[in-house]
Structures are given as structure tokens and as C-alpha cells.
Amino acid sequence: MSKSPLRLAVIVGSTREGRFGPTVATWFAEHAAQRADIVVDVIDLAEVRLPACLSSEPDQEGARALAVVGPRLVAADAFVVVTPEYNHSYPASLKNAIDWHFTQWQAKPVGFVSYGGISGGLRAVEHLRHVFAELHAVTVRDTVSFHGAQSQFDPAGRPTDPVACGKAATKLLDQLVWWGRATKAARAEQPYAA
């Protein structure tokens, strides 16, 4: 099995004004980038606005946005979705990004970093697991979750308890690398057919 670095797409799912997602995503992406077995690509859905209406013929602006995101998802060997919890689920912007794509997710692993109040975004993660199963993706068990997220980071955007969340992130990344290598090898041997 190839030991070349896996391409990990970290998807920032919230586009809400005043969002906390970039703080969490930046920390996670920096943690992941320290590894020799991973190359990180951060896809911030607030920076690349996908069309809100699903269509087989998006307008020019929508087509341009899809042309930016789609190839980056294709190139990824694995994904980490950074999601808040809105009303016991994940944001519409994230569902929109998922629904615009299909084969890009297939036979690839997906991990989750969530944040929120008391639940730390874990209810959003549970909903996302069902969605990604329908897309023939493999979700890894372990997550990174920040309960009371804003109190878990200092003003510079660093975790107040870097050891605990660092261990959780490393465990998540270890699982993603294992699944990423396994699914990449399997796709190379035999293309996945949904």
C-alpha cells in the first residue's frame, strides 16, 4: 500500500455571520498539517458560495463555485467536516454542499469535528452519519467535540486544554489515515460502483 500522504479536505460547514467554525477548523487543520502522512486542504463554504437551488444547469456564478469545490472533493482521499449544531442538526449550507456532489464522497472516509453548547455538536454529527452512509462514504467512529465551544478556546484561537483535544484529534486522524489508505487502495484495484 502506498505511503504517500493522504489528501484530507477539511470542510468548514457554517456560513453564518459571526460563526465560530473558522477558529475550530484552523486549529484542527494546523494539528493535521503537522503529520507527514496528511496534506490538508481547507474548504470554507463561506468563501465558496454554492448555489442554494439544486439544478442540472446552475447559473454562471453557481457553475464557477461548483468548479472550484468539485475538483477539490474529487482530489481528496478523506474528509473532515467541521460542523456546529443548529437546532439539533447541522447547517443548511453543509447539506447544500453535500447534495451538490455525489460520486466525490463515495468509498472515502469522513470524520467529524463538532462544536456547540451542551451537546458539543454531537447531534449534528449523528445526523450527518446517516447522510454520508447514503452517499456510500465511510464515517469513522471517533470525533472531536467542543462542548461550550467558545469557552474552550482562548482569544488567540488556541484550545484552553490542548492535550485533551489534541489526543482526540490524533485518534480521529489515525482512523482517517487507516480508512483512507484502505479505501484508496480498494478504489485503485477496482473502481467503486454504487
Side-chain angles (χ1 to χ4, degrees):
M1 203 178 301
S2 171
K3 294 297 181 186
S4 61
L6 288 177
R7 293 167 297 194
L8 174 66
V10 176
I11 301 166
V12 186
S14 174
T15 59
R16 182 179 280 186
E17 186 177 337
R19 66 202 173 117
F20 194 67
T23 300
V24 178
T26 297
W27 164 78
F28 183 80
E30 288 174 357
H31 185 86
Q34 294 174 17
R35 295 175 62 124
D37 55 355
I38 295 173
V39 174
V40 178
D41 177 21
V42 177
I43 302 172
D44 188 340
L45 298 180
E47 293 176 1
V48 183
R49 297 282 183 154
L50 298 175
C53 295
L54 296 175
S55 166
S56 59
E57 295 181 23
D59 63 22
Q60 274 190 332
E61 186 178 330
R64 278 194 297 273
L66 289 164
V68 169
V69 174
R72 292 166 74 183
L73 297 178
V74 169
D77 299 308
F79 307 98
V80 165
V81 175
V82 179
T83 186
E85 182 176 311
Y86 297 159
N87 302 317
H88 285 223
S89 195
Y90 52 90
S93 53
L94 184 52
K95 183 67 162 88
N96 186 47
I98 293 167
D99 288 349
W100 267 111
H101 304 91
F102 182 69
T103 57
Q104 293 89 338
W105 311 111
Q106 289 180 342
K108 296 179 183 179
V110 181
F112 303 99
V113 175
S114 64
Y115 60 97
I118 293 171
S119 75
L122 292 174
R123 293 176 289 215
V125 169
E126 290 310 308
H127 289 181
L128 283 164
R129 288 187 190 283
H130 295 286
V131 173
F132 279 109
E134 181 62 22
L135 296 170
H136 299 257
V138 180
T139 62
V140 299
R141 181 195 178 280
D142 286 274
T143 63
V144 180
S145 177
F146 292 98
H147 305 263
Q150 294 189 356
S151 67
Q152 299 293 321
F153 286 80
D154 67 22
R158 301 285 170 219
T160 56
D161 183 2
V163 174
C165 62
K167 283 183 181 179
T170 297
K171 190 170 186 182
L172 168 62
L173 290 165
D174 288 345
Q175 290 175 8
L176 278 172
V177 168
W178 190 93
W179 280 103
R181 291 198 190 289
T183 56
K184 185 176 182 178
R187 289 191 315 274
E189 183 176 322
Q190 179 177 340
Y192 185 80

